[in-house]
Amino acid sequence: MFKKLKKIFVSNEKKQEEPNPNNSKEKELKESSIKRQVDANISLLKEIYNVPENLDVKFRNVTVGGSSQKCCLIFISTISNVPMLEDNVIKPLVNNKEQQKRVPHILTVSNIRYAADFKTALLEINRGNAILIADGEDTAFIIESANFKSRGIEQVQNEVIVKGPKEAFTESAGTNISLLRKRLKNENMVVESVKISERSGNEVAMLYVKNLANEQLIGKVRNRLQSLSADAIQNLPLLEQYLEDRKISLFPTILYTERPDRAASFIEDGHIVLVMDNSPDSLIMPATFWSFFHTPEEHYLRFPFGNFTRALRITALFISIFASAIYVAITNYHSEMIPADLLLAIASTRERVPFPIIVEILMMEMAFELIREAGLRVPSPIGPTIGIVGALILGQAAVEANIISPVVIIVVALGGLTSFAVSDISLNFTVRLTRFLFILASGAFGIYGMTAFFIVGIFYMVSISSFGVPYLSPMSPKYKSSNDTIFRRLLENEKFRPGYLKPKDIKKKGNEA
């Protein structure tokens, strides 16, 4: 019986592994060259696009006035600018009077490119451009007519600031590149396109300043993009998971931002920015720990105000990570560190609670995370209600039922509240997860367990790199830079670009005396 089942499974696997003859035929058609006969090209393209079943793929036959040359315009109506094609392609061809004039010279479009094979022509059609094939021509004329629908430029949703620009990226790569070029009026800024998937033909735009960015870094990012093997990568959050060095690490190594001003500032320092259709954001690489910790507003505010917000964020970061863990460690192992009156108050609140302190903390931490997640997923008008019901009513009910002590609710609420001060999404998840690890370490070994785990964490952060750049640089190892790490400097004292990027020009010329 087992042998029969094995034969069935093996035969099924062999059938699945056998190449599909239809796929090989389609591949052969796509790799063929453009023919001089219009009718032969039309029949082949109709076969590839499954016309007439495929409704939005249009074939517009045109006879050139004057020469009576047969032409055909092929485009996808839902992603192409049809009025532009009508005005600048079809009307000039029909109204032409000169017999000897070639098709490219008749068209009134701004730019015409050429395709010698169907593979190139199909790629352009799928991008929203139109292809014009003419009788007697062995190349197709590519007419730029892409017109993808997208929402307009709106305000930033996640990286909200009070002082500074409010524009955010959209799902259109062209719009996002325009927002960056508006801020970087530099002829050396390069927008390089790289194809990253085979079946869906997804492309990513790689932006950098040619006379600033390190060539080895550009080559490393380009090679990693070109080496991807995937059928489809639809947006940047998916691409980020393909590109990162350590895929299961808690610490992010690629910076995600939806702010054009932030991306532009990194490009000016010699970083590389990735922009892609379907993604209202950008990826910045390489990224250090400090780039996740900083926010754009700290430089928009005056020097004392910016550093004040950084001090608040540092304090919030440590409170969020260590508050619950310190409470568990002190009450379980180091009660002598607490004043006698406070110790008696804590003991009295826990007199009727049946659970150990670590179980209380973990229960409340998990409840807080559930409330936060529920508030994000429900419709926006209900979100605040979920927070109020979960935090106030359930918390009060748990205290009155002697399931949780009031001090635990205070400690957990303080840690959860301070975690919102960490604005970066990836670093925020890191803080939330490491908080649970510190709670377990303190529950097992007290302050000594927390200290040991913290040291191991620092060792681990030192070992991380992002595209060859050490994670804690320029602090460790030390590099020549503006030292914008824990606290920012006066703007006129930020004279250098980050040395760990090895830029071609490390000094900011605007700061020269």
PDB file of all heavy atoms in Angstrom, residues 200-226:
ATOM      1  N   SER A 200       5.862  39.487 -13.051  1.00  0.00           N
ATOM      2  CA  SER A 200       5.101  40.735 -12.959  1.00  0.00           C
ATOM      3  C   SER A 200       5.854  41.939 -13.501  1.00  0.00           C
ATOM      4  O   SER A 200       5.270  43.012 -13.661  1.00  0.00           O
ATOM      5  CB  SER A 200       4.709  41.000 -11.499  1.00  0.00           C
ATOM      6  OG  SER A 200       3.815  40.016 -11.044  1.00  0.00           O
ATOM      7  N   GLY A 201       7.148  41.792 -13.761  1.00  0.00           N
ATOM      8  CA  GLY A 201       7.919  42.892 -14.333  1.00  0.00           C
ATOM      9  C   GLY A 201       8.033  44.104 -13.438  1.00  0.00           C
ATOM     10  O   GLY A 201       8.089  45.237 -13.927  1.00  0.00           O
ATOM     11  N   ASN A 202       8.067  43.890 -12.114  1.00  0.00           N
ATOM     12  CA  ASN A 202       8.175  45.024 -11.195  1.00  0.00           C
ATOM     13  C   ASN A 202       9.550  45.663 -11.292  1.00  0.00           C
ATOM     14  O   ASN A 202      10.564  44.974 -11.442  1.00  0.00           O
ATOM     15  CB  ASN A 202       7.937  44.561  -9.757  1.00  0.00           C
ATOM     16  CG  ASN A 202       6.588  43.888  -9.578  1.00  0.00           C
ATOM     17  OD1 ASN A 202       6.512  42.721  -9.234  1.00  0.00           O
ATOM     18  ND2 ASN A 202       5.523  44.610  -9.837  1.00  0.00           N
ATOM     19  N   GLU A 203       9.585  46.978 -11.192  1.00  0.00           N
ATOM     20  CA  GLU A 203      10.835  47.731 -11.251  1.00  0.00           C
ATOM     21  C   GLU A 203      10.949  48.644 -10.045  1.00  0.00           C
ATOM     22  O   GLU A 203       9.934  49.094  -9.495  1.00  0.00           O
ATOM     23  CB  GLU A 203      10.907  48.560 -12.534  1.00  0.00           C
ATOM     24  CG  GLU A 203      11.040  47.724 -13.792  1.00  0.00           C
ATOM     25  CD  GLU A 203      11.285  48.577 -15.018  1.00  0.00           C
ATOM     26  OE1 GLU A 203      11.103  49.805 -14.916  1.00  0.00           O
ATOM     27  OE2 GLU A 203      11.650  48.026 -16.064  1.00  0.00           O
ATOM     28  N   VAL A 204      12.180  48.899  -9.638  1.00  0.00           N
ATOM     29  CA  VAL A 204      12.443  49.817  -8.537  1.00  0.00           C
ATOM     30  C   VAL A 204      13.401  50.896  -9.039  1.00  0.00           C
ATOM     31  O   VAL A 204      14.303  50.620  -9.842  1.00  0.00           O
ATOM     32  CB  VAL A 204      13.024  49.063  -7.319  1.00  0.00           C
ATOM     33  CG1 VAL A 204      14.360  48.424  -7.652  1.00  0.00           C
ATOM     34  CG2 VAL A 204      13.156  49.984  -6.123  1.00  0.00           C
ATOM     35  N   ALA A 205      13.164  52.120  -8.606  1.00  0.00           N
ATOM     36  CA  ALA A 205      14.034  53.240  -8.973  1.00  0.00           C
ATOM     37  C   ALA A 205      15.046  53.474  -7.864  1.00  0.00           C
ATOM     38  O   ALA A 205      14.679  53.593  -6.694  1.00  0.00           O
ATOM     39  CB  ALA A 205      13.211  54.500  -9.207  1.00  0.00           C
ATOM     40  N   MET A 206      16.314  53.478  -8.224  1.00  0.00           N
ATOM     41  CA  MET A 206      17.409  53.676  -7.271  1.00  0.00           C
ATOM     42  C   MET A 206      17.938  55.098  -7.455  1.00  0.00           C
ATOM     43  O   MET A 206      18.428  55.460  -8.530  1.00  0.00           O
ATOM     44  CB  MET A 206      18.502  52.631  -7.533  1.00  0.00           C
ATOM     45  CG  MET A 206      19.556  52.538  -6.472  1.00  0.00           C
ATOM     46  SD  MET A 206      20.611  51.072  -6.680  1.00  0.00           S
ATOM     47  CE  MET A 206      21.559  51.543  -8.103  1.00  0.00           C
ATOM     48  N   LEU A 207      17.849  55.913  -6.401  1.00  0.00           N
ATOM     49  CA  LEU A 207      18.231  57.326  -6.485  1.00  0.00           C
ATOM     50  C   LEU A 207      19.475  57.592  -5.655  1.00  0.00           C
ATOM     51  O   LEU A 207      19.570  57.146  -4.504  1.00  0.00           O
ATOM     52  CB  LEU A 207      17.092  58.228  -5.986  1.00  0.00           C
ATOM     53  CG  LEU A 207      15.859  58.376  -6.876  1.00  0.00           C
ATOM     54  CD1 LEU A 207      14.920  57.193  -6.736  1.00  0.00           C
ATOM     55  CD2 LEU A 207      15.110  59.662  -6.556  1.00  0.00           C
ATOM     56  N   TYR A 208      20.413  58.321  -6.230  1.00  0.00           N
ATOM     57  CA  TYR A 208      21.633  58.707  -5.522  1.00  0.00           C
ATOM     58  C   TYR A 208      22.285  59.865  -6.269  1.00  0.00           C
ATOM     59  O   TYR A 208      21.971  60.118  -7.445  1.00  0.00           O
ATOM     60  CB  TYR A 208      22.602  57.534  -5.409  1.00  0.00           C
ATOM     61  CG  TYR A 208      22.976  56.902  -6.741  1.00  0.00           C
ATOM     62  CD1 TYR A 208      24.067  57.358  -7.481  1.00  0.00           C
ATOM     63  CD2 TYR A 208      22.223  55.852  -7.259  1.00  0.00           C
ATOM     64  CE1 TYR A 208      24.400  56.795  -8.690  1.00  0.00           C
ATOM     65  CE2 TYR A 208      22.538  55.279  -8.474  1.00  0.00           C
ATOM     66  CZ  TYR A 208      23.631  55.747  -9.187  1.00  0.00           C
ATOM     67  OH  TYR A 208      23.949  55.186 -10.410  1.00  0.00           O
ATOM     68  N   VAL A 209      23.164  60.572  -5.579  1.00  0.00           N
ATOM     69  CA  VAL A 209      23.926  61.656  -6.199  1.00  0.00           C
ATOM     70  C   VAL A 209      25.259  61.080  -6.678  1.00  0.00           C
ATOM     71  O   VAL A 209      26.041  60.558  -5.884  1.00  0.00           O
ATOM     72  CB  VAL A 209      24.152  62.820  -5.214  1.00  0.00           C
ATOM     73  CG1 VAL A 209      24.994  63.904  -5.865  1.00  0.00           C
ATOM     74  CG2 VAL A 209      22.819  63.398  -4.765  1.00  0.00           C
ATOM     75  N   LYS A 210      25.498  61.152  -7.965  1.00  0.00           N
ATOM     76  CA  LYS A 210      26.630  60.473  -8.591  1.00  0.00           C
ATOM     77  C   LYS A 210      27.970  60.907  -8.016  1.00  0.00           C
ATOM     78  O   LYS A 210      28.857  60.077  -7.796  1.00  0.00           O
ATOM     79  CB  LYS A 210      26.599  60.743 -10.105  1.00  0.00           C
ATOM     80  CG  LYS A 210      27.654  60.009 -10.901  1.00  0.00           C
ATOM     81  CD  LYS A 210      27.376  58.522 -10.957  1.00  0.00           C
ATOM     82  CE  LYS A 210      28.368  57.808 -11.869  1.00  0.00           C
ATOM     83  NZ  LYS A 210      28.157  56.343 -11.870  1.00  0.00           N
ATOM     84  N   ASN A 211      28.139  62.208  -7.765  1.00  0.00           N
ATOM     85  CA  ASN A 211      29.439  62.686  -7.280  1.00  0.00           C
ATOM     86  C   ASN A 211      29.531  62.705  -5.753  1.00  0.00           C
ATOM     87  O   ASN A 211      30.424  63.317  -5.186  1.00  0.00           O
ATOM     88  CB  ASN A 211      29.744  64.073  -7.847  1.00  0.00           C
ATOM     89  CG  ASN A 211      28.702  65.102  -7.434  1.00  0.00           C
ATOM     90  OD1 ASN A 211      27.680  64.755  -6.847  1.00  0.00           O
ATOM     91  ND2 ASN A 211      28.971  66.365  -7.741  1.00  0.00           N
ATOM     92  N   LEU A 212      28.580  62.024  -5.069  1.00  0.00           N
ATOM     93  CA  LEU A 212      28.636  61.897  -3.615  1.00  0.00           C
ATOM     94  C   LEU A 212      28.682  60.438  -3.160  1.00  0.00           C
ATOM     95  O   LEU A 212      29.513  60.051  -2.347  1.00  0.00           O
ATOM     96  CB  LEU A 212      27.427  62.584  -2.969  1.00  0.00           C
ATOM     97  CG  LEU A 212      27.486  64.092  -2.731  1.00  0.00           C
ATOM     98  CD1 LEU A 212      26.223  64.551  -2.027  1.00  0.00           C
ATOM     99  CD2 LEU A 212      28.711  64.459  -1.895  1.00  0.00           C
ATOM    100  N   ALA A 213      27.764  59.634  -3.686  1.00  0.00           N
ATOM    101  CA  ALA A 213      27.617  58.252  -3.221  1.00  0.00           C
ATOM    102  C   ALA A 213      28.833  57.417  -3.589  1.00  0.00           C
ATOM    103  O   ALA A 213      29.420  57.575  -4.672  1.00  0.00           O
ATOM    104  CB  ALA A 213      26.354  57.636  -3.804  1.00  0.00           C
ATOM    105  N   ASN A 214      29.211  56.537  -2.690  1.00  0.00           N
ATOM    106  CA  ASN A 214      30.345  55.647  -2.897  1.00  0.00           C
ATOM    107  C   ASN A 214      30.017  54.611  -3.967  1.00  0.00           C
ATOM    108  O   ASN A 214      28.965  53.976  -3.936  1.00  0.00           O
ATOM    109  CB  ASN A 214      30.683  54.958  -1.569  1.00  0.00           C
ATOM    110  CG  ASN A 214      31.901  54.058  -1.674  1.00  0.00           C
ATOM    111  OD1 ASN A 214      31.789  52.917  -2.058  1.00  0.00           O
ATOM    112  ND2 ASN A 214      33.055  54.597  -1.324  1.00  0.00           N
ATOM    113  N   GLU A 215      30.941  54.421  -4.926  1.00  0.00           N
ATOM    114  CA  GLU A 215      30.688  53.508  -6.039  1.00  0.00           C
ATOM    115  C   GLU A 215      30.517  52.062  -5.570  1.00  0.00           C
ATOM    116  O   GLU A 215      29.702  51.312  -6.115  1.00  0.00           O
ATOM    117  CB  GLU A 215      31.839  53.593  -7.058  1.00  0.00           C
ATOM    118  CG  GLU A 215      31.895  54.889  -7.838  1.00  0.00           C
ATOM    119  CD  GLU A 215      30.707  55.067  -8.768  1.00  0.00           C
ATOM    120  OE1 GLU A 215      30.037  54.054  -9.080  1.00  0.00           O
ATOM    121  OE2 GLU A 215      30.431  56.211  -9.159  1.00  0.00           O
ATOM    122  N   GLN A 216      31.294  51.650  -4.564  1.00  0.00           N
ATOM    123  CA  GLN A 216      31.164  50.282  -4.053  1.00  0.00           C
ATOM    124  C   GLN A 216      29.794  50.063  -3.425  1.00  0.00           C
ATOM    125  O   GLN A 216      29.177  49.004  -3.591  1.00  0.00           O
ATOM    126  CB  GLN A 216      32.265  49.990  -3.040  1.00  0.00           C
ATOM    127  CG  GLN A 216      33.655  49.901  -3.648  1.00  0.00           C
ATOM    128  CD  GLN A 216      34.701  49.548  -2.606  1.00  0.00           C
ATOM    129  OE1 GLN A 216      34.434  49.578  -1.406  1.00  0.00           O
ATOM    130  NE2 GLN A 216      35.897  49.215  -3.072  1.00  0.00           N
ATOM    131  N   LEU A 217      29.292  51.069  -2.715  1.00  0.00           N
ATOM    132  CA  LEU A 217      27.971  50.966  -2.114  1.00  0.00           C
ATOM    133  C   LEU A 217      26.893  50.896  -3.192  1.00  0.00           C
ATOM    134  O   LEU A 217      25.967  50.079  -3.102  1.00  0.00           O
ATOM    135  CB  LEU A 217      27.729  52.169  -1.198  1.00  0.00           C
ATOM    136  CG  LEU A 217      26.363  52.247  -0.513  1.00  0.00           C
ATOM    137  CD1 LEU A 217      26.139  51.044   0.383  1.00  0.00           C
ATOM    138  CD2 LEU A 217      26.249  53.537   0.298  1.00  0.00           C
ATOM    139  N   ILE A 218      27.017  51.733  -4.225  1.00  0.00           N
ATOM    140  CA  ILE A 218      26.057  51.689  -5.333  1.00  0.00           C
ATOM    141  C   ILE A 218      26.065  50.314  -5.988  1.00  0.00           C
ATOM    142  O   ILE A 218      25.015  49.719  -6.254  1.00  0.00           O
ATOM    143  CB  ILE A 218      26.380  52.789  -6.366  1.00  0.00           C
ATOM    144  CG1 ILE A 218      26.226  54.176  -5.751  1.00  0.00           C
ATOM    145  CG2 ILE A 218      25.488  52.658  -7.602  1.00  0.00           C
ATOM    146  CD1 ILE A 218      26.727  55.300  -6.644  1.00  0.00           C
ATOM    147  N   GLY A 219      27.267  49.783  -6.236  1.00  0.00           N
ATOM    148  CA  GLY A 219      27.383  48.463  -6.854  1.00  0.00           C
ATOM    149  C   GLY A 219      26.813  47.358  -5.984  1.00  0.00           C
ATOM    150  O   GLY A 219      26.174  46.425  -6.483  1.00  0.00           O
ATOM    151  N   LYS A 220      27.007  47.478  -4.670  1.00  0.00           N
ATOM    152  CA  LYS A 220      26.499  46.451  -3.754  1.00  0.00           C
ATOM    153  C   LYS A 220      24.971  46.436  -3.754  1.00  0.00           C
ATOM    154  O   LYS A 220      24.348  45.364  -3.804  1.00  0.00           O
ATOM    155  CB  LYS A 220      27.030  46.714  -2.347  1.00  0.00           C
ATOM    156  CG  LYS A 220      26.760  45.604  -1.353  1.00  0.00           C
ATOM    157  CD  LYS A 220      27.420  45.901  -0.010  1.00  0.00           C
ATOM    158  CE  LYS A 220      28.922  45.846  -0.109  1.00  0.00           C
ATOM    159  NZ  LYS A 220      29.572  45.998   1.204  1.00  0.00           N
ATOM    160  N   VAL A 221      24.353  47.626  -3.709  1.00  0.00           N
ATOM    161  CA  VAL A 221      22.889  47.702  -3.726  1.00  0.00           C
ATOM    162  C   VAL A 221      22.357  47.226  -5.073  1.00  0.00           C
ATOM    163  O   VAL A 221      21.393  46.456  -5.149  1.00  0.00           O
ATOM    164  CB  VAL A 221      22.419  49.142  -3.431  1.00  0.00           C
ATOM    165  CG1 VAL A 221      20.905  49.250  -3.580  1.00  0.00           C
ATOM    166  CG2 VAL A 221      22.841  49.562  -2.030  1.00  0.00           C
ATOM    167  N   ARG A 222      23.001  47.661  -6.171  1.00  0.00           N
ATOM    168  CA  ARG A 222      22.540  47.271  -7.498  1.00  0.00           C
ATOM    169  C   ARG A 222      22.635  45.754  -7.693  1.00  0.00           C
ATOM    170  O   ARG A 222      21.707  45.119  -8.199  1.00  0.00           O
ATOM    171  CB  ARG A 222      23.371  47.987  -8.563  1.00  0.00           C
ATOM    172  CG  ARG A 222      22.888  47.716  -9.984  1.00  0.00           C
ATOM    173  CD  ARG A 222      23.872  48.240 -11.017  1.00  0.00           C
ATOM    174  NE  ARG A 222      23.984  49.695 -10.984  1.00  0.00           N
ATOM    175  CZ  ARG A 222      25.119  50.338 -10.734  1.00  0.00           C
ATOM    176  NH1 ARG A 222      26.233  49.661 -10.459  1.00  0.00           N
ATOM    177  NH2 ARG A 222      25.150  51.661 -10.732  1.00  0.00           N
ATOM    178  N   ASN A 223      23.749  45.156  -7.272  1.00  0.00           N
ATOM    179  CA  ASN A 223      23.921  43.709  -7.431  1.00  0.00           C
ATOM    180  C   ASN A 223      22.898  42.928  -6.617  1.00  0.00           C
ATOM    181  O   ASN A 223      22.386  41.899  -7.070  1.00  0.00           O
ATOM    182  CB  ASN A 223      25.336  43.299  -7.018  1.00  0.00           C
ATOM    183  CG  ASN A 223      26.390  43.833  -7.961  1.00  0.00           C
ATOM    184  OD1 ASN A 223      26.095  44.135  -9.122  1.00  0.00           O
ATOM    185  ND2 ASN A 223      27.620  43.963  -7.493  1.00  0.00           N
ATOM    186  N   ARG A 224      22.592  43.431  -5.415  1.00  0.00           N
ATOM    187  CA  ARG A 224      21.615  42.721  -4.596  1.00  0.00           C
ATOM    188  C   ARG A 224      20.221  42.809  -5.209  1.00  0.00           C
ATOM    189  O   ARG A 224      19.447  41.853  -5.137  1.00  0.00           O
ATOM    190  CB  ARG A 224      21.608  43.277  -3.171  1.00  0.00           C
ATOM    191  CG  ARG A 224      20.904  42.363  -2.188  1.00  0.00           C
ATOM    192  CD  ARG A 224      21.102  42.792  -0.752  1.00  0.00           C
ATOM    193  NE  ARG A 224      22.484  42.728  -0.328  1.00  0.00           N
ATOM    194  CZ  ARG A 224      22.883  42.919   0.936  1.00  0.00           C
ATOM    195  NH1 ARG A 224      21.985  43.177   1.870  1.00  0.00           N
ATOM    196  NH2 ARG A 224      24.151  42.867   1.248  1.00  0.00           N
ATOM    197  N   LEU A 225      19.908  43.944  -5.817  1.00  0.00           N
ATOM    198  CA  LEU A 225      18.616  44.073  -6.495  1.00  0.00           C
ATOM    199  C   LEU A 225      18.543  43.170  -7.721  1.00  0.00           C
ATOM    200  O   LEU A 225      17.525  42.506  -7.962  1.00  0.00           O
ATOM    201  CB  LEU A 225      18.377  45.527  -6.902  1.00  0.00           C
ATOM    202  CG  LEU A 225      18.086  46.532  -5.782  1.00  0.00           C
ATOM    203  CD1 LEU A 225      18.119  47.955  -6.331  1.00  0.00           C
ATOM    204  CD2 LEU A 225      16.735  46.254  -5.147  1.00  0.00           C
ATOM    205  N   GLN A 226      19.620  43.140  -8.502  1.00  0.00           N
ATOM    206  CA  GLN A 226      19.622  42.344  -9.726  1.00  0.00           C
ATOM    207  C   GLN A 226      19.656  40.851  -9.453  1.00  0.00           C
ATOM    208  O   GLN A 226      19.254  40.055 -10.308  1.00  0.00           O
ATOM    209  CB  GLN A 226      20.809  42.754 -10.611  1.00  0.00           C
ATOM    210  CG  GLN A 226      20.687  44.155 -11.183  1.00  0.00           C
ATOM    211  CD  GLN A 226      21.932  44.599 -11.924  1.00  0.00           C
ATOM    212  OE1 GLN A 226      23.010  44.000 -11.779  1.00  0.00           O
ATOM    213  NE2 GLN A 226      21.816  45.656 -12.724  1.00  0.00           N
TER     214      GLN A 226
END
